Amino acid sequence: MSHVPHPRRALLVWGVGVAAYVVAICNRSSFGVATIEVRELFGVSSALIASMAVAQLVVYAALQIPVGVLLDRYGPRVLVGTGALVMAAGQAVLALAPAAGWVLAGRVLVGAGDALTFVSVVRLVPAWFAPRHVPVLTQLTGSIGQLGQVLSAIPVVALLHAEGWRTTFLWVAAVGVLAAVLALAVLRDAPPVSEIDPAAPPGDRVGFLARLRAASAAPRDPGALRAVLAEPGTRLAFWMHFSGQFSNHVVVLLWGYAFFVEGEGRTPAEASALLTLNVVAGVVAGPVIGALVGRRPRLRMPLAIGTVLAIGAVWLAVLVPSAPVPWPVLGVFVVVVAVGGPISLVSFDVARSSNPMSRLGTATGFVNTGGFIGAFVTMLLIGLVLDRVGGGVRDLGAFRAALVCVVLPWVVGLVGMLHGARVLRRRHPGIDL
C-alpha cells in the first residue's frame, strides 16, 4: 500500500500537532523566566522555587509511561486536546495564586498537561508519513516546538514586566484553550483506510465518543511495558535522551535566566537574547541531525557521544572562571547545550526501530522520562546548594558552586549510554549505531 496520498492533509494534521507542542513548551518554560518575580511576590527561597519546577517535572516524568499506555489505547487527538486544557487550567491557577502553595499546584497541573503532549505529537508522525520521512519530521517537531521558549523569553517576559503576574499567566492560559480547540477540531490519529488504500471501502464515520468507548472496551496488553523494558534498544534510547536533554532543561526551564542575570551580571534583555539564541540553535540543528540520521543510522551513537562530550566542555568553560565570562562564551554555551535537545530526539528513532508500532506509545513514553529525570534531580540539587552556599545571596560564586551539580548526571548518562550501546550490539550484532 502507498502511505499517504494526500500530503497536504498530513501536513495540516502534523502542523496543528506541532502548534500544540509549541504552546506546551511555552507553558513549560514560562516559569523559568519568572523565578525572580516568584521570589519577590511570594518571598520563597531558591530551594522552594526549585521544588516548584521539580514538582512539575516529576509529574511529567511520572506520567510518561501511563501516558504511553493511554496513547496506544486512545490515540493522539484525545491526549493532545486534554493536555492543552489541563495546562490552561494550571496557568489560570498560577495567575490567581494567593500564596506559594497555589503556585505549586498550578505547576503540577502544567506538568500533567505537558506530559500528554509531546509523545502524542511524535506518535502522529509515523501514522501519517512514510518511514523515510519519520526521522526528519520527528526532529522538526522537536525543533519547531522550541519556539515556545521564544514565546517565554520575549513576549511573556515583556508582558510580565508591562502588565504583571496575573495578566501574563491568564493570557498564557487563554492560548492553551485555543490550542485545545484546534487540536480537537483538526487532529486525527491516522488517515482513513480509504486514503491509504483507494481500493478499500470507505467505511462509516464513527463518532468521537463512540471511538472512545471502543478504545475503552478493547483488550489490554498487560505485558506491553515488560516487553518494552526488556528491549535493549529502549534502554539505550532512555540514556540517550537523559544525556542529551537534561542540561538544556536545567538552563531553559529554571536556572539559566537567573544565572545570566544574577550570576553573570547580564541585563534581562541580554538573558532573553541568550535563551532565544538557544532556541534558534536547536531549530537549526534539529533538521540537520534528522537528515543525517535518516540517511546514515550508524551516526546515531557518534553524534550522541560527541554532543555529550561537547556539553561537558562548555559547562567547564562557564564554571571554571571566577569572573563573569564574555558574552560570546555564553553564546557558545547556550548553542551547544541546545544541540543536546535534537540529539536527545534521536533516541525516539532508536526506540521506534526496536519496538512494534502497537507498543510505540509505551516505548516513547518511557524514553521521554530520561531527560526529565536528569533535569529535575539536577535542578533541585542546584536550588539546595544555592541556599546553603549563598546564604540568600545569589551571586556568581554561589551559582558556580551550585551548577557543579551537573557533573553527576552528566557522568551517569554517559556511562549508561556506553553500556546500553554495548548490550544492544551484543544482542543484535548487525545493528547500525
Side-chain angles (χ1 to χ4, degrees):
M1 290 190 302
S2 61
H3 202 68
V4 179
H6 299 297
R8 282 183 296 181
R9 184 177 182 191
L11 288 171
L12 175 63
V13 168
W14 176 70
V16 170
V18 171
Y21 181 48
V22 170
V23 173
I25 291 292
C26 179
N27 278 273
R28 182 192 301 174
S29 56
S30 59
F31 189 73
V33 299
T35 56
I36 295 173
E37 283 75 12
V38 173
R39 202 172 175 217
E40 293 172 352
L41 285 172
F42 300 101
V44 297
S45 66
S46 297
L48 187 53
I49 291 173
S51 298
M52 292 175 179
V54 165
Q56 172 190 338
L57 294 185
V58 167
V59 170
Y60 182 103
L63 287 178
Q64 284 305 292
I65 293 175
V67 164
V69 175
L70 291 173
L71 179 58
D72 288 334
R73 192 169 188 81
Y74 294 104
R77 182 191 181 196
V78 173
L79 270 64
V80 172
T82 303
L85 288 175
V86 173
M87 283 186 283
Q91 297 290 32
V93 169
L94 206 69
L96 304 175
W102 287 94
V103 176
L104 176 61
R107 295 316 291 177
V108 166
L109 285 173
V110 169
D114 188 13
L116 300 173
T117 307
F118 178 66
V119 293
S120 301
V121 177
V122 167
R123 176 65 181 273
L124 286 170
V125 175
W128 280 91
F129 294 92
R132 67 181 182 277
H133 298 312
V134 170
V136 173
L137 286 168
T138 300
Q139 287 290 347
L140 281 171
T141 300
S143 296
I144 297 172
Q146 301 315 305
L147 293 175
Q149 293 179 26
V150 176
L151 296 180
S152 292
I154 299 178
V156 170
V157 168
L159 193 60
L160 195 60
H161 292 162
E163 300 294 337
W165 176 272
R166 175 173 294 190
T167 299
T168 298
F169 286 99
L170 284 176
W171 268 108
V172 176
V175 173
V177 172
L178 176 60
V181 171
L182 282 174
L184 293 173
V186 177
L187 293 187
R188 295 296 181 269
D189 298 340
V193 175
S194 58
E195 288 191 14
I196 299 175
D197 182 5
D204 57 348
R205 295 182 178 272
V206 181
F208 180 62
L209 293 178
R211 287 197 300 272
L212 282 182
R213 286 194 293 269
S216 299
R220 290 169 171 79
D221 181 4
L225 179 58
R226 191 181 309 112
V228 163
L229 296 180
E231 172 54 53
T234 308
R235 299 196 298 273
L236 169 61
F238 172 90
W239 290 114
M240 290 176 73
H241 194 272
F242 180 104
S243 302
Q245 191 73 274
F246 88 90
S247 287
N248 199 44
H249 283 336
V250 167
V251 171
V252 170
L253 297 185
L254 189 60
W255 293 120
Y257 187 87
F259 170 58
F260 298 145
V261 173
E262 298 178 306
E264 292 289 334
R266 299 293 165 181
T267 66
E270 288 174 324
S272 293
L274 286 166
L275 294 179
T276 302
L277 178 60
N278 174 277
V279 175
V280 172
V283 169
V284 172
V288 175
I289 292 168
L292 286 172
V293 169
R295 293 192 185 105
R296 299 185 179 181
R298 68 185 62 187
L299 292 177
R300 291 181 292 193
M301 275 301 291
L303 284 171
I305 295 293
T307 301
V308 170
L309 292 175
I311 288 172
V314 295
W315 274 116
L316 289 175
V318 298
L319 295 182
V320 169
S322 57
V325 298
W327 205 94
V329 175
L330 292 176
V332 172
F333 169 73
V334 296
V335 166
V336 173
V337 297
V339 175
I343 283 294
S344 74
L345 299 186
V346 174
S347 63
F348 297 120
D349 190 55
V350 174
R352 180 183 61 83
S353 60
S354 304
N355 292 275
M357 180 66 77
S358 61
R359 295 172 181 160
L360 189 54
T362 304
T364 303
F366 171 73
V367 170
N368 201 36
T369 63
F372 292 91
I373 289 174
F376 70 65
V377 171
T378 310
M379 286 158 54
L380 182 57
L381 288 174
I382 290 169
L384 292 171
V385 174
L386 266 179
D387 280 342
R388 181 172 293 272
V389 173
V393 178
R394 302 202 314 196
D395 56 12
L396 180 58
F399 272 105
R400 287 177 67 220
L403 291 172
V404 168
C405 294
V406 301
V407 172
L408 177 61
W410 184 86
V411 171
V412 169
L414 183 60
V415 171
M417 196 161 41
L418 292 172
H419 175 71
R422 186 166 60 248
V423 172
L424 182 57
R425 287 192 180 104
R426 189 165 62 240
R427 180 81 62 88
H428 304 291
I431 193 168
D432 281 334
L433 280 179

